[in-house]
Amino acid sequence: MTIPFLDLHAPYRELREEFDSAYHRVMESGWYILGLEVEAFEAEFAAYCDAKHCIGVGNGLDALHLILRAMDIGPGDEVIVPSNTYIATWLAVTYAGATPVPVEPDERTYNIDPTKIDQAITPKTKVIMVVHLYGQPADMDPINALARKHGLKVIEDCAQAHGALYKGRKVGGLGDAAGFSFYPGKNLGAIGDGGAVTTNDPKLAERIQVLRNYGSKIKYQNQVIGYNSRLDELQAALLRVKLTKLNEWNERRRLVAAQYMQELSGQRNLTLPYVPEWAEPVWHLFVVRHAQRDALQKALAEAGIGTMIHYPIAPHLQPAYADLDLSVGDFPLSERMAEEVLSLPIGPHLAESGCSSVITAMQKVSFT
């Protein structure tokens, strides 16, 4: 591809000396699991998210799963989830033994529609799990109000939204707890896998610290049946380097998004992202919609433009969830989005010339 969808080598080129220094610092320490680097990153990331506590874990899916387990969510319980999301959101619920109950999105924002949640609540409902999809915050105030009314917990899936703002407040501290992914392609990505939980609840934070480490606070003394899900020292050290650049890199993403929004506005049959006035996205993805999405993707590929589809199959139609007995037509908005969405290249290292090349290629494509 002339313009790849994402360049994962670019961050190292920009911060080579800092990354190499962090690597050597960890290697010289001789301590690789739950040491000073993890402690430092947890403190720094909690402060970044305006949260009181951060617990580093193995990946984003584990972050969500451990929150649910720490909340004692299990068999017989229901967790409300977006019908339009990556399947990891649902898998966390399944791992806990609970049942995911999908709710359709707001068609403009692609995030869960707060006005549709109430009708999905039953006596078995224990949690509303919100996803800040594509890096845009969901509408949290009405969701939190609904949760308080029904005595429910609220979990944020922040895997795509590091640094996003909702009414001036950072995601990661807007509910009872939040799960983050540091998968390499994220706005704050590790050089491998990693994740974290943020929360303002000290008891919940302590439970997750125990659960992530075999259910143990003291070596060889296991209070509960736990898991092995720990952010390692090397990834923590490298994430600390990237965290210092996160705001700057998010701003670069915003500049690319602004250029796309300006230059692609008015293009026939193309739906651009909608941003509510209270939201400040971090543009993990720039997602457009087109009724002839597959043809558009093919035309862009022929022009040397890399794109991706997030996501081509809605979770309720995945074979993994056949046991829920959901079928085509049950969640029509999510199904239509799966057929129409296309992610254009975006990132802090996409040059202005590259952005212009994407726009030129898009403008040359014409479908009825």
Side-chain angles (χ1 to χ4, degrees):
M1 288 292 172
T2 304
I3 307 297
F5 177 73
L6 182 64
D7 181 0
L8 287 176
H9 189 233
Y12 180 67
R13 292 196 299 267
E14 180 176 343
L15 299 172
R16 183 187 302 268
E17 290 186 9
E18 293 91 335
F19 280 134
D20 289 352
S21 176
Y23 166 79
H24 287 293
R25 187 172 69 242
V26 173
M27 299 306 293
E28 291 291 343
S29 77
W31 192 285
Y32 307 125
I33 299 290
L34 295 185
L36 296 179
E37 296 291 345
V38 170
E39 288 180 11
F41 173 74
E42 289 174 337
E44 291 160 5
F45 193 62
Y48 179 83
C49 295
D50 297 324
K52 294 180 180 178
H53 306 279
C54 172
I55 307 96
V57 298
N59 54 69
L61 174 53
D62 282 359
L64 297 175
H65 174 219
L66 291 175
I67 293 169
L68 290 165
R69 294 299 299 122
M71 290 178 172
D72 292 320
I73 304 302
D77 296 331
E78 293 179 350
V79 176
I80 290 175
V81 295
S83 59
N84 182 50
T85 185
Y86 182 55
I87 199 170
T89 311
W90 290 40
L91 290 175
V93 178
T94 304
Y95 282 9
T99 301
V101 177
V103 169
E104 285 272 69
D106 180 323
E107 189 168 9
R108 300 171 305 166
T109 67
Y110 310 134
N111 280 321
I112 192 168
D113 188 338
T115 67
K116 297 176 181 175
I117 295 175
D118 197 27
Q119 63 197 40
I121 295 173
T122 75
K124 295 181 179 180
T125 307
K126 296 296 188 294
V127 174
I128 302 172
M129 188 177 288
V130 180
V131 179
H132 304 304
L133 197 65
Y134 309 150
Q136 176 156 290
D139 194 358
M140 293 300 297
D141 283 353
I143 293 171
N144 281 325
L146 191 61
R148 287 192 298 270
K149 175 183 174 183
H150 292 277
L152 307 177
K153 298 290 188 181
V154 175
I155 298 173
E156 299 173 80
D157 181 341
C158 299
Q160 301 182 359
H162 314 71
L165 297 176
Y166 173 74
K167 297 183 178 180
R169 294 173 288 158
K170 289 268 184 67
V171 302
L174 304 178
D176 293 284
F180 286 86
S181 167
F182 303 130
Y183 183 77
K186 305 298 186 184
N187 290 43
L188 181 62
I191 315 300
D193 226 333
V197 174
T198 56
T199 182
N200 291 315
D201 184 336
K203 292 183 178 179
L204 188 68
E206 183 178 8
R207 291 199 71 184
I208 293 169
Q209 285 176 329
V210 170
L211 285 168
R212 74 170 174 183
N213 190 36
Y214 297 101
S216 173
K217 289 180 69 174
I218 302 172
K219 195 173 181 68
Y220 301 131
Q221 295 183 28
N222 302 81
Q223 299 169 276
V224 296
I225 295 174
Y227 306 86
N228 176 15
S229 181
R230 304 169 297 197
L231 182 67
D232 69 68
E233 286 286 283
L234 182 58
Q235 297 301 340
L238 299 172
L239 285 166
R240 292 181 68 195
V241 172
K242 282 192 170 184
L243 184 57
T244 66
K245 301 289 287 186
L246 181 55
N247 284 342
E248 178 187 333
W249 286 358
N250 282 343
E251 188 58 34
R252 292 187 205 171
R253 289 174 179 269
R254 291 187 181 105
L255 292 174
V256 173
Q259 190 172 351
Y260 280 155
M261 294 287 270
Q262 179 178 344
E263 298 297 331
L264 296 178
S265 177
Q267 187 161 342
R268 188 177 181 185
N269 296 326
L270 186 72
T271 301
L272 295 175
Y274 168 81
V275 180
E277 51 87 19
W278 41 256
E280 190 169 342
V282 290
W283 298 103
H284 173 61
L285 299 172
F286 190 92
V287 178
V288 300
R289 287 174 61 189
H290 198 290
Q292 293 177 266
R293 186 268 315 281
D294 293 344
L296 174 60
Q297 185 178 41
K298 183 175 183 292
L300 290 174
E302 291 171 350
I305 307 299
T307 61
M308 290 191 69
I309 299 171
H310 298 88
Y311 301 96
I313 304 174
H316 71 282
L317 298 180
Q318 294 282 7
Y321 281 101
D323 62 313
L324 294 183
D325 200 26
L326 299 171
S327 58
V328 174
D330 287 342
F331 298 94
L333 278 178
S334 296
E335 292 166 23
R336 188 161 74 249
M337 289 172 182
E339 295 173 349
E340 295 180 355
V341 294
L342 186 67
S343 299
L344 303 183
I346 194 167
H349 299 94
L350 179 64
E352 185 175 350
S353 59
C355 183
S356 297
S357 295
V358 176
I359 291 168
T360 298
M362 288 285 292
Q363 291 172 336
K364 288 181 178 178
V365 175
S366 177
F367 299 113
T368 58

